[in-house]
Amino acid sequence: MKNLTPYLAAAGTLIFIAVFANFLTPFDPYVQDLEGALAPPNSTNLLGTDRYGRDVLSRVIVGSQTTLCASLLLLATISIVGSFIGAICGYKGGWLDIFLMRMSDVFLAFPQMVFAIAAAGALGGGLLNAAAALAIIGWPKYARISRGLVLSIRSMPYLAAAKMAGSSSTKILFAHVLPNIAGTILVTAALDIGTIIMELAGLSFLGLGAMPPTAEWGAMMNNGRSMLQTAPWVILAPGTAIFITVATFNLLGDKLRDFMGGQR
């Protein structure tokens, strides 16, 4: 557990900043000051200002709320829904299993980001639509994983004993099946946080996610890409925030996987 502590602390710090972002910003991230536009980093604006004179540091902090909270909520949704679908398919079998698994095969046949771009474009853009596009393509992975795990434990003696004791299928599913696959699902989700952040920011960078003036890291990089040579801090600040956040959660996922493996 000691090896996990620094990574949990780092991830917890990022989540704390995202949750309380509105109280941590030195300036209003949406107030424009055209006279102070594109000011380089200084003692007042530590990360400079953008083309509209908005404080970049404040927008990066508030952008963490948009990017990180949206990514975590999206990941929680697809992991829970996908795992539940897979568990039902694996435990019940039959026509429902065949139908849902063939549907998941269809989604898994497409490159995830390409499908997400097409879906987000069809839905009309916006952060909610971008998240919906990623959810559509994201759930089959968890459904497949959980189904495989359930198939491996479906014939275990404790499940047969619970059934003989008169437990309903619903009770067995929630009391015995899902708790036994939760560890693997948790590790998979932890390893996917960085990917979800990158994909959501990528859609915003392409103009299919968060819309102006919303502070979101991908959208901020898109707005600053034309000023990379003249005002590099505008694009480097959100880019660095994405790098630090993705690296932190990837390292946490790796350590969590090692820890869970060592517990077996």
Side-chain angles (χ1 to χ4, degrees):
M1 189 64 181
K2 291 182 179 179
N3 293 333
L4 267 177
T5 303
Y7 302 96
L8 288 171
T13 300
L14 292 174
I15 294 174
F16 176 85
I17 292 172
V19 171
F20 296 99
N22 293 329
F23 302 99
L24 300 175
T25 54
F27 300 97
D28 189 322
Y30 296 106
V31 170
Q32 301 182 11
D33 179 15
L34 297 180
E35 292 184 359
L38 298 179
N42 54 72
S43 58
T44 302
N45 304 105
L46 298 181
L47 295 181
T49 61
D50 64 8
R51 69 174 72 193
Y52 300 109
R54 298 173 298 195
D55 182 58
V56 173
L57 175 60
S58 299
R59 289 183 63 78
V60 168
I61 293 174
V62 170
S64 69
Q65 190 173 66
T66 307
T67 304
L68 186 55
C69 290
S71 298
L72 292 175
L73 182 61
L74 171 61
L75 182 60
T77 302
I78 63 176
S79 60
I80 292 173
V81 172
S83 299
F84 187 69
I85 290 173
I88 293 177
C89 291
Y91 186 72
K92 289 290 188 180
W95 66 268
L96 184 63
D97 178 31
I98 296 173
F99 173 74
L100 291 175
M101 289 304 102
R102 295 298 78 76
M103 183 184 293
S104 70
D105 289 341
V106 171
F107 287 116
L108 291 172
F110 291 93
Q112 184 164 328
M113 197 58 186
V114 174
F115 186 92
I117 291 172
L123 291 173
L127 187 62
L128 183 60
N129 289 337
L134 291 174
I136 291 171
I137 196 66
W139 70 267
K141 173 183 177 180
Y142 289 89
R144 277 291 182 183
I145 292 173
S146 64
R147 178 180 180 270
L149 293 170
V150 171
L151 288 175
S152 67
I153 66 173
R154 188 170 61 176
S155 59
M156 297 296 286
Y158 65 87
L159 293 183
K163 192 170 184 179
M164 291 178 63
S167 298
S168 64
S169 296
T170 302
K171 183 177 180 180
I172 292 173
L173 191 64
F174 281 96
H176 301 287
V177 175
L178 291 176
N180 277 282
I181 68 173
T184 302
I185 298 300
L186 177 62
V187 171
T188 304
L191 290 168
D192 279 348
I193 295 176
T195 301
I196 294 292
I197 292 173
M198 290 288 290
E199 290 176 345
L200 199 58
L203 289 176
S204 295
F205 181 80
L206 295 173
L208 297 172
M211 296 298 175
T214 303
E216 196 277 337
W217 292 339
M220 290 172 64
M221 291 187 68
N222 181 38
N223 293 332
R225 61 179 178 172
S226 62
M227 299 174 286
L228 182 58
Q229 294 183 335
T230 57
W233 57 87
V234 177
I235 191 172
L236 290 179
T240 302
I242 292 174
F243 172 78
I244 292 173
T245 304
V246 171
T248 298
F249 282 102
N250 281 348
L251 290 171
L252 174 61
D254 288 337
K255 292 298 180 180
L256 185 61
R257 179 181 56 192
D258 296 340
F259 176 76
M260 296 297 290
Q263 292 294 99
R264 295 176 183 176

